[in-house]
Amino acid sequence: MSILRVKKDDIIFNEGTYSDCAFIIERGRFEVSRKNPDGTSSVLGVLKTGDIFGEMGLIDGGARSATVKALEDGAISVLSRESFEGLAERNPQALIPLLKVLTTRLRNTIQKTVAA
């Protein structure tokens, strides 16, 4: 994995762009937002050190579902699809934290959908 240093207000990726990697926050805070049908944006959350984002791209290679922006100077580790697949082959147990993140986010989405 490589480390990417980011500055406040850097856009890590935009909603709708191609995805081929995930990021683990080493330092800093990052805003996750999504465009509304009327063109405005809604903040979905703020991620901090130790959190992961962009993980769906590792699994399905689909378009990014949100935009991620640095709220302050920071550093993120870049996990490429190749590294992810190698890790899955060598040490499948290492995928458990990623699966927990996906499950938690899915549960939160379901709760928001039911509440709406």
Side-chain angles (χ1 to χ4, degrees):
M1 282 192 294
S2 61
I3 301 272
L4 178 64
R5 307 242 181 263
V6 297
K7 298 285 186 191
K8 180 181 179 184
D9 294 325
D10 281 355
I11 301 295
I12 310 308
F13 55 73
N14 285 299
E15 179 180 346
T17 58
Y18 173 74
S19 62
D20 64 350
C21 63
F23 303 89
I24 301 167
I25 302 173
E26 301 296 333
R27 184 174 34 88
R29 293 180 317 118
F30 295 79
E31 176 185 88
V32 181
S33 64
R34 187 168 170 86
K35 292 252 191 242
N36 297 315
D38 65 4
T40 61
S41 291
S42 292
V43 175
L44 302 176
V46 174
L47 304 175
K48 60 189 181 333
T49 301
D51 287 337
I52 186 170
F53 61 92
E55 69 283 348
M56 289 190 299
L58 289 176
I59 295 167
D60 69 2
R64 300 288 188 187
S65 61
T67 295
V68 177
K69 176 177 86 170
L71 295 176
E72 58 194 33
D73 292 355
I76 50 180
S77 291
V78 181
L79 178 60
S80 69
R81 179 172 287 130
E82 295 79 22
S83 295
F84 175 76
E85 289 172 355
L87 182 61
E89 289 177 16
R90 288 187 314 276
N91 185 7
Q93 284 295 111
L95 301 180
I96 296 298
L98 177 62
L99 294 173
K100 286 181 179 180
V101 166
L102 287 170
T103 302
T104 299
R105 290 185 183 160
L106 179 58
R107 284 184 189 279
N108 289 340
T109 299
I110 290 168
Q111 287 176 347
K112 287 178 184 176
T113 303
V114 171

